[in-house]
Amino acid sequence: MTGMENSALVDKGPVPKIVTTNEKGVTLPNLEGQPDKRERGKAMRQVIAAFIANIGTINTGLIFGFSAVVIPQLHAQDSLIPVDESQASWVASLSAIGTPIGCLLSGYVMDNFGRKKALLITEIPMIIGWIVIACATNVEMIYAGRVLTGFGSGMIGAPARVYTSEVTQPHLRGMLCALASTGISLGVLFQYTLGAVTTWKTLSAISACLPVLAFALMLLMPESPNYLVSKNKPDQALKSLAKLRGSTYNLEKEVNQLQSFAQKSNQKKKLTTKETIQALLHPSCLKPFGILTLYFMMYQFSGVNTITFYAVEIFQDSGTTMDKYTCTIMLGVVRFIFTILAAILLRRCGRRPLTFISGIGCGVTMIGLGTYLYYKRTWEMAVPPIAPTATWFPVACIFVFTITCTLGFLVVPWVMIGELYPMKVRGIVGGFTTCMAHTFVFIVVKTYPFLAHLLERHGAFILYGCISFLGTVFFYLCLPETKGKTLQEIEDYFSGRIKSLKKSKQQEAEGQQLNNNSKPQLLTVEKNKLLP
């Protein structure tokens, strides 16, 4: 006998499973094969960690909204520190000088000192900056405070998102990483609202309380387990995961997965300067950096921060009969509400669909707004001038633009900063990306007056709409869907270890067949009956 004869006698199908029945033929319960309840950690612990890590991002919104509040008060006749137009422009723009520097430094601090320490360090210049502004007796002190707060704002962006992405599980990561964008919108709304009823000195003192709170609460949080594993500290990573997932979670399994991936990616070895440069030039880093850089460029040139920084002026020029300041506050409320909605939709819809909504929505509304302003200009130049009609239309365009832009553009790329980059250079390249994002903000805001003069205001908005449509094509072709994917799977994709993040139909069919085959067939044994 060679053994080959027996192969035909072996049933390769699922093995029947014998179960016990009672006298009435009812199958008795069997605990075998029940799903493992330890696959997911406690969600509330991860939510709390993400909330605390992102408290500092509210400060970025406070900085954005502060100049809109302080400049009118400084121009007032009873101002403690009178300023001219040139000084006012420096008050508004100086925070942008410190922001890119903070972005670049945050990557170095993250990778060399840890995510938690980076989040603690970034609060210090914010606290000092707000105190300096609150105590200012001349405009130079306001300048210094704005630079310091802008520097801290630049440092907070990447660490908050990277820490959140590393301490949360895939089913929560998208929603919780969007907290940074929600925080910025909340900060803008806070400044607009509180600035209407208080002085800028009081507002600065209140703003200083926020980074103090963030610093105190962050002291209670654990370090990122991914970072600890990358530094060859598995015992500390296990303790960190226990705080983030709970004692009932399979901690050892996740730590082993992180160690295995770190070994495969050679993360435990401290990188030399040459190795760091090689890692930055590797396709696993260059590809996502190129995608996110173009993403930030496309969405900034869709006109989002043009609307944010020039909202009052744009509402005034639109010809609407509504109060321009009321419209601006309402715009802040809408932005905040839909940022929260976007965070929820990220978990359900994914990154690509929300990006497409923003690209198409921003394109349609910007072209619509530009077209209306073109006709409004024509009506004003007519002899005799024609009174504008449908003045609700430009306001509707601006509000719909804000809604669609917030659902995708204001959330998705910031979430992806913490998802797309390889672990060993995630901090450095995350800082580079944040720096590029703020650089595009500066370019767009500064070039808008030039474009409005060169192309007229309507031409500038039509240009923004066309760029938004062009960006949508790019996103369709190049943007990967990371919803539900682990950070290891995403890094494997950009490294070329796997060809796609999407499962093919054949893989899905094979998985379904495997699941069906893995289900045991129930074979009921009745009394005085022979087995078949």
Side-chain angles (χ1 to χ4, degrees), residues 467-483:
I467 293 175
S468 186
F469 282 131
L470 180 64
T472 305
V473 176
F474 166 77
F475 301 139
Y476 179 80
L477 296 175
C478 301
L479 189 69
E481 179 56 76
T482 58
K483 173 178 173 287

Side-chain angles (χ1 to χ4, degrees), residues 64-79:
F64 284 173
F66 183 72
S67 60
V69 174
V70 67
I71 290 176
Q73 294 186 20
L74 292 176
H75 279 314
Q77 293 181 353
D78 58 348
S79 174

Side-chain angles (χ1 to χ4, degrees), residues 324-341:
K324 54 184 180 294
Y325 293 104
T326 302
C327 288
T328 303
I329 295 175
M330 289 173 59
L331 197 66
V333 173
V334 168
R335 172 172 169 161
F336 174 65
I337 292 173
F338 278 88
T339 304
I340 296 175
L341 180 61

Side-chain angles (χ1 to χ4, degrees), residues 10-25:
V10 177
D11 185 3
K12 298 182 180 180
V15 179
K17 179 180 179 181
I18 300 176
V19 298
T20 307
T21 60
N22 59 17
E23 295 179 354
K24 297 182 180 181

Side-chain angles (χ1 to χ4, degrees), residues 248-266:
T248 60
Y249 179 72
N250 193 341
L251 303 173
E252 293 80 4
K253 179 181 178 181
E254 183 166 346
V255 171
N256 290 337
Q257 289 175 342
L258 292 174
Q259 286 184 297
S260 175
F261 187 78
Q263 186 176 7
K264 179 174 64 175
S265 304
N266 197 24

Side-chain angles (χ1 to χ4, degrees), residues 112-135:
N112 288 276
F113 299 98
R115 282 51 165 149
K116 177 180 177 178
K117 289 182 179 178
L119 287 168
L120 290 171
I121 292 171
T122 190
E123 306 298 343
I124 297 174
M126 293 184 187
I127 296 171
I128 298 173
W130 285 119
I131 292 176
V132 169
I133 296 175
C135 299

